[in-house]
C-alpha cells in the first residue's frame, strides 16, 4: 500500500511539473509584460471612469498598447497565456503591477494634500464699491 501511495505521489509531482504551454517564439519579456498589463489597468480604469475621454481622443485601448509596445494581438495573447500557465510567474507579474498602482495612488494622494484648497463652489465676494 505504501509503495502505491509513493508511486502515485511521484506521478502527481511529475505531472504538476509538466509544461502544458510551450514558450512562444516571440515571448514578451516579463518586465515588458508588467508594463503592458499596468498600462491596460490604467486605460481600463480610465474607460470605466470616464468613457467619453478615450473616445474623444480616439484612443482604442488595445491598439494603443500594441502600437506603444510594438507588439501584435497574437504575440500578446500567446505571451499572456504562457505566463498564466505558470501561476508563480503570473502572480509575480501582478504583484509588480499592484506595487506600481499603489505607488501611483500614494503619489496622487500626496499631490492632493499639497495642492491649495480650491473650492470652486465658493462664490467670490461682491465688490463693495
Amino acid at each position: 500500500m505504501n509503495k502505491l501511495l509513493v508511486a502515485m505521489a511521484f506521478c502527481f509531482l511529475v505531472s504538476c511539473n509538466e509544461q502544458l504551454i510551450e514558450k512562444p517564439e516571440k515571448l514578451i519579456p516579463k518586465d515588458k509584460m508588467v508594463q503592458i498589463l499596468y498600462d491596460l489597468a490604467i486605460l481600463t480604469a480610465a474607460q470605466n471612469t470616464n468613457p467619453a475621454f478615450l473616445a474623444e481622443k480616439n484612443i482604442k485601448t488595445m491598439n494603443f498598447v500594441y502600437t506603444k509596445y510594438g507588439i501584435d494581438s497574437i504575440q500578446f495573447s500567446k505571451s499572456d497565456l504562457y505566463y498564466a500557465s505558470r501561476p508563480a510567474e503570473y502572480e509575480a507579474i501582478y504583484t509588480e503591477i499592484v506595487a506600481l498602482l499603489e505607488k501611483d495612488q500614494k503619489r496622487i494622494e500626496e499631490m492632493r494634500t499639497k495642492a491649495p484648497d480650491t473650492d470652486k463652489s465658493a462664490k467670490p465676494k461682491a465688490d463693495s464699491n
Side-chain angles (χ1 to χ4, degrees), residues 65-76:
V65 170
Y66 298 150
T67 301
K68 179 178 179 180
Y69 291 99
I71 60 172
D72 59 34
S73 60
I74 294 171
Q75 184 182 9
F76 174 74

Side-chain angles (χ1 to χ4, degrees), residues 47-118:
Q47 179 67 36
N48 291 335
T49 303
N50 186 357
F53 178 77
L54 293 178
E56 288 170 6
K57 306 285 186 206
N58 198 26
I59 297 174
K60 294 182 179 24
T61 303
M62 294 311 293
N63 289 341
F64 176 83
V65 170
Y66 298 150
T67 301
K68 179 178 179 180
Y69 291 99
I71 60 172
D72 59 34
S73 60
I74 294 171
Q75 184 182 9
F76 174 74
S77 295
K78 286 184 176 183
S79 295
D80 191 51
L81 181 62
Y82 174 79
Y83 288 120
S85 73
R86 287 153 176 74
E89 283 187 62
Y90 214 47
E91 182 179 7
I93 287 171
Y94 275 92
T95 298
E96 287 185 50
I97 294 166
V98 168
L100 290 171
L101 292 170
E102 287 173 347
K103 184 178 174 183
D104 286 348
Q105 183 178 9
K106 183 178 178 184
R107 188 176 65 234
I108 290 167
E109 288 172 4
E110 287 174 357
M111 287 172 35
R112 283 184 182 162
T113 58
K114 289 180 184 178
D117 187 20
T118 54

Side-chain angles (χ1 to χ4, degrees), residues 1-20:
M1 182 70 169
N2 284 341
K3 289 181 183 181
L4 179 62
L5 288 175
V6 170
M8 287 176 57
F10 178 75
C11 289
F12 177 74
L13 290 173
V14 170
S15 68
C16 287
N17 214 9
E18 185 178 324
Q19 307 260 341
L20 299 178

